[in-house]
Amino acid sequence: MVDKDVWRCAREEIPAHQAVLVELSADGCSGWGEASVFMTADYNSTAEVLLRRMKDVRPLLRDADPTAPAQTWDRLRPILADCPFALGALDIAGHDLAARLSGAPLYDHLGLPDPTGRSSSYSIGLDTVTAMVDKLRRVPGWRLYKVKLARAGDIDVLRALREHTDAPFWVDGNACWRPEELFDVLDLLPDLGVVALEQPFGTNEVAAHRRLRAAGVLPVFADESVTTPDQVASAVGVFDGVNIKVLKAGGITPALEMVRLCRESGLGSMLGCLPESSAGASAAAHLAGLTDHVDLDTIALLATDTGHGALLDDAGRIRLASGPGTGFVPDWESPAHIEPAGSLL
């Protein structure tokens, strides 16, 4: 798949991205999931590994109850714990299939609030100042912009963007900033309309994150530091909230658990995304009624897509696809499909 612009953050640059599309079928219905080929060294997520590991669990999937995806996730987790995107894609497809079999939209099948109309942020990817301003000007009217900065000291970027919008900024360091650089400019950020900071420092910089939160200037959200339910407790006292990403969590089943744990721990929540197509983003959109903030702009950034599903309108508000489950329908004629369709099971 290709985005409208090259996707850049402080950590990496991605001119195009790949994913494995997953189909689970039962009783004439199909559920769809997606595993991103992303941060492959961290998440064991090369296309070859994802396909091999999912094929390894074919016997278990054949015997699984298609109406009980959480039960299937419990059985898969010990096998795929080291390959969370494969686990997540199968869990997403399983939940989609169960909802389609019931004839209900996924959010309704799960007993969740209707996410229609929830607003997503829009990410301004790292680039030259001029290019970042151009990106913002192409999408006016969104309620929140997530700004990727290479360094905490890049205040000139925020000042330039501020000239073109009154909307608040959510600033993401992607775990690459130096603590001393941020503390030097921290007090300037609220006046520039910054309302939160996301994972400014590396995962090993616990003391720096704790000090930043204690300063009380801006809320601080975890991303890379907290990806699974068992890590939520470690965020208490260090972060103010967690960006929950379905694939990093290992699927819808653990993502829902993370939302619950955040609420019980007094942590805020954001529903985030990876570079994904409509297959994965449509599933995540059905969870958007649960979290405090939403960042599902991947579908707005795509130039090519694997199919048709949830959309974001011109102001970034969620519009679900019609029909049961996630509503995603693959488009096999799309140039996003670079390999022939094949059967996993």
Side-chain angles (χ1 to χ4, degrees), residues 187-223:
D187 291 337
L188 302 176
L189 300 182
D191 288 341
L192 289 168
V194 177
V195 294
L197 298 172
E198 183 174 324
Q199 193 75 43
F201 315 132
T203 57
N204 61 331
E205 296 278 7
V206 176
H209 280 123
R210 190 185 299 275
R211 178 186 164 202
L212 178 61
R213 179 182 179 273
V217 177
L218 289 168
V220 186
F221 273 61
D223 180 358

Side-chain angles (χ1 to χ4, degrees), residues 1-47:
M1 291 169 285
V2 178
D3 285 339
K4 296 172 184 175
D5 297 293
V6 175
W7 190 91
R8 295 185 182 92
C9 69
R11 183 182 55 233
E12 60 198 322
E13 173 180 312
I14 304 176
H17 46 94
Q18 293 181 295
V20 174
L21 200 61
V22 178
E23 178 184 12
L24 294 180
S25 299
D27 300 329
C29 285
S30 291
W32 298 93
E34 179 180 5
S36 296
V37 179
F38 178 68
M39 295 182 69
T40 56
D42 295 281
Y43 291 100
N44 199 18
S45 56
T46 65

Side-chain angles (χ1 to χ4, degrees), residues 26-269:
D27 300 329
C29 285
S30 291
W32 298 93
E34 179 180 5
S36 296
V37 179
F38 178 68
M39 295 182 69
T40 56
D42 295 281
Y43 291 100
N44 199 18
S45 56
T46 65
E48 294 77 15
V49 169
L50 291 169
L51 287 167
R52 175 171 54 81
R53 297 299 298 279
M54 286 190 277
K55 287 179 179 179
D56 286 345
V57 297
R58 282 184 296 184
L60 189 153
L61 291 169
R62 289 196 184 102
D63 295 337
D65 181 350
T67 68
Q71 182 181 92
T72 301
W73 184 87
D74 284 337
R75 297 175 66 192
L76 289 174
R77 183 176 178 271
I79 304 168
L80 295 175
D82 66 328
C83 195
F85 292 1
L87 177 63
L90 291 168
D91 188 60
I92 292 166
H95 278 282
D96 185 24
L97 175 59
R100 292 182 194 240
L101 288 169
S102 77
L106 179 60
Y107 76 85
D108 191 34
H109 181 69
L110 292 171
L112 307 180
D114 185 347
T116 301
R118 285 297 310 273
S119 294
S120 170
S121 62
Y122 185 90
S123 295
I124 307 297
L126 188 64
D127 213 316
T128 65
V129 176
T130 300
M132 292 177 75
V133 168
D134 286 344
K135 291 176 186 180
L136 187 150
R137 294 180 65 185
R138 291 202 301 264
V139 287
W142 288 52
R143 294 182 60 185
L144 179 67
Y145 293 95
K146 178 181 279 196
V147 182
K148 304 281 189 176
L149 292 184
R151 299 183 306 109
D154 288 340
I155 299 298
D156 57 323
V157 177
L158 297 176
R159 287 179 175 142
L161 294 172
R162 179 51 62 211
E163 293 179 5
H164 300 276
T165 183
D166 294 327
F169 296 147
W170 182 290
V171 178
D172 190 355
N174 286 109
C176 288
W177 293 353
R178 297 170 63 89
E180 59 271 21
E181 289 185 357
L182 176 55
F183 286 109
D184 284 344
V185 300
L186 182 60
D187 291 337
L188 302 176
L189 300 182
D191 288 341
L192 289 168
V194 177
V195 294
L197 298 172
E198 183 174 324
Q199 193 75 43
F201 315 132
T203 57
N204 61 331
E205 296 278 7
V206 176
H209 280 123
R210 190 185 299 275
R211 178 186 164 202
L212 178 61
R213 179 182 179 273
V217 177
L218 289 168
V220 186
F221 273 61
D223 180 358
E224 289 86 350
S225 288
V226 182
T227 60
T228 53
D230 60 294
Q231 295 174 327
V232 171
S234 68
V236 177
V238 181
F239 297 97
D240 296 288
V242 177
N243 186 344
I244 299 166
K245 299 182 177 179
V246 173
L247 277 183
K248 285 188 177 183
I252 289 173
T253 299
L256 292 173
E257 177 70 0
M258 289 184 73
V259 174
R260 182 186 68 80
L261 290 171
C262 283
R263 285 181 175 174
E264 292 178 354
S265 302
L267 294 166
S269 58

Side-chain angles (χ1 to χ4, degrees), residues 266-291:
L267 294 166
S269 58
M270 170 177 267
L271 179 66
C273 60
L274 302 182
E276 299 171 62
S277 77
S278 288
S282 294
H286 282 257
L287 312 187
L290 285 179
T291 56

